[in-house]
Amino acid sequence: MTSSVKVVRKRLADGSIREYRYPRAAKPSPPSYAPDSLDALLAAYRRSQEWSGLAKQTRAVYSVYLRNLDKIRHLKARDLRRRLLLDIRDAIAKARGNGAATGFIRATSALMAWAVDREWIDHHPLLRVKALPSGHLPAWSEEDAARALAALDEPFRRVVVLGLHTGQRRGDLIALTWNAYDGQTIRLRQNKTGAPLILPVHPTLKAELDAWKETRKAAVILTSPQGRAWTAAHLTREMGKRLAALGLPGLNIHGLRKLAAARLADAGASVHEIAAITGHASLSMVALYTLSLIHISEPTRQRQP
């Protein structure tokens, strides 16, 4: 049992040890909410089979967005109103953008649907909420890629190389380990979809990977300048700074995925063949990505000199 007294021992100038005793601060108890509260509903949802059946990445994303409900956890679940939840969505949109607001609506809608099914609430308060306009992340052009590859420091150049030749999402790029590469293919299971993929390695990428492998510092293929595995947020922030300094503001790692799809289309790959590489479940999304092919050699944004 933890003592209520904290003992601190200090060595004095004459070499003797003196003890100081302080009352140990009591840890605050978590607030206790009613069994029909939103807090209780959230706890029940996280214990459910539906929650455990979600992909690990989806659970992580939902957990982030559901934190926006913390200030109203004391409310009765049946008292939740559409207007209140839309006010929270609008505050998120103002502070963090429409994409984050849409993410909140998706996560909360999943919670509300489960709550209706389990009779916590009678009606789904977010039914048929329209998504806020968010637009699509810009694709890189060949000119953008050439400029980045010529000027970026090596850890960041490697991100561009791997993204261009695999067409994978940021989270999957930074999770790739050397064990996934056998010299001819890269095998992975996508975090977002759970789709298993076997990617043929282009000779250009093979030459790069074989050279990187000689000086590898970690189990993962992509590492930070300090030789450590990237976190998604850290890579996005640092890459954004460097691209902006090169006169390429607004570009991000996901845009490499679009250029990779466009390159495959330019090489004659069908929509199904492209989806087998990128892991897209929606062929219409592949078609949307490859529309950028008609602009691939033309800058579509104002560039800084």
Side-chain angles (χ1 to χ4, degrees):
M1 186 171 65
T2 303
S3 171
S4 60
V5 177
K6 180 179 180 181
V7 179
V8 177
R9 295 180 176 84
K10 291 188 177 181
R11 184 178 296 276
L12 303 181
D14 61 3
S16 62
I17 303 295
R18 175 170 292 180
E19 284 189 356
Y20 299 88
R21 295 174 178 267
Y22 306 95
R24 191 182 298 274
K27 293 184 179 180
S29 300
S32 177
Y33 297 123
D36 59 351
S37 65
L38 173 58
D39 182 73
L41 168 59
L42 285 163
Y45 180 48
R46 291 192 175 100
R47 292 193 300 267
S48 71
Q49 289 298 315
E50 288 81 358
W51 176 263
S52 61
L54 296 172
K56 181 179 179 181
Q57 181 72 9
T58 301
R59 291 199 303 270
V61 171
Y62 276 16
S63 293
V64 170
Y65 287 123
L66 290 175
R67 287 179 201 148
N68 292 285
L69 298 173
D70 282 353
K71 291 184 178 180
I72 61 170
R73 293 170 77 104
H74 62 285
L75 295 179
K76 289 184 177 181
R78 291 184 183 275
D79 289 343
L80 291 176
R81 294 292 179 265
R82 186 184 186 92
R83 180 175 65 182
L84 174 60
L85 295 173
L86 289 180
D87 284 346
I88 295 174
R89 179 203 68 176
D90 293 345
I92 295 171
K94 185 175 181 180
R96 293 156 50 198
N98 288 359
T102 298
F104 166 73
I105 290 297
R106 287 175 180 164
T108 308
S109 289
L111 169 68
M112 294 296 107
W114 185 85
V116 170
D117 188 54
R118 297 303 181 93
E119 298 183 341
W120 280 78
I121 58 178
D122 297 321
H123 306 288
H124 193 318
L126 293 176
L127 205 60
R128 293 188 293 277
V129 169
K130 294 181 179 179
L132 295 174
S134 59
H136 292 280
L137 297 171
W140 291 48
S141 70
E142 292 288 0
E143 178 193 65
D144 297 334
R147 180 186 283 187
L149 289 171
L152 285 174
D153 295 340
E154 187 61 17
F156 300 94
R157 190 189 74 86
R158 292 185 181 187
V159 175
V160 176
V161 170
L162 198 59
L164 278 178
H165 287 92
T166 64
Q168 299 306 301
R169 298 177 182 89
R170 174 191 62 182
D172 294 315
L173 291 174
I174 63 177
L176 279 176
T177 66
W178 285 109
N179 287 337
Y181 171 58
D182 64 8
Q184 300 298 324
T185 61
I186 291 176
R187 295 172 180 263
L188 72 144
R189 184 176 293 275
Q190 290 188 323
N191 287 325
K192 182 176 181 179
T193 65
L197 300 178
I198 302 176
L199 311 179
V201 174
H202 188 276
T204 301
L205 178 58
K206 175 177 170 55
E208 292 272 4
L209 288 171
D210 291 345
W212 302 348
K213 196 171 184 179
E214 293 296 320
T215 58
R216 58 181 168 176
K217 299 178 180 179
V220 290
I221 294 175
L222 297 176
T223 57
S224 69
Q226 293 75 35
R228 295 191 290 268
W230 286 106
T231 64
H234 187 206
L235 175 57
T236 295
R237 182 172 61 251
E238 295 302 314
M239 179 67 88
K241 291 178 185 177
R242 284 158 178 80
L243 291 175
L246 294 178
L248 301 173
L251 289 181
N252 58 32
I253 297 165
H254 197 82
L256 288 169
R257 183 165 160 82
K258 297 184 177 183
L259 178 53
R263 282 183 167 187
L264 289 168
D266 192 33
S270 69
V271 172
H272 289 275
E273 289 169 333
I274 295 171
I277 298 296
T278 61
H280 278 106
S282 168
L283 298 183
S284 61
M285 185 59 72
V286 176
L288 178 63
Y289 274 27
T290 55
L291 281 177
S292 61
L293 179 62
I294 60 175
H295 306 296
I296 215 69
S297 60
E298 304 236 355
T300 56
R301 298 167 299 281
Q302 289 289 341
R303 294 290 186 232
Q304 297 176 2

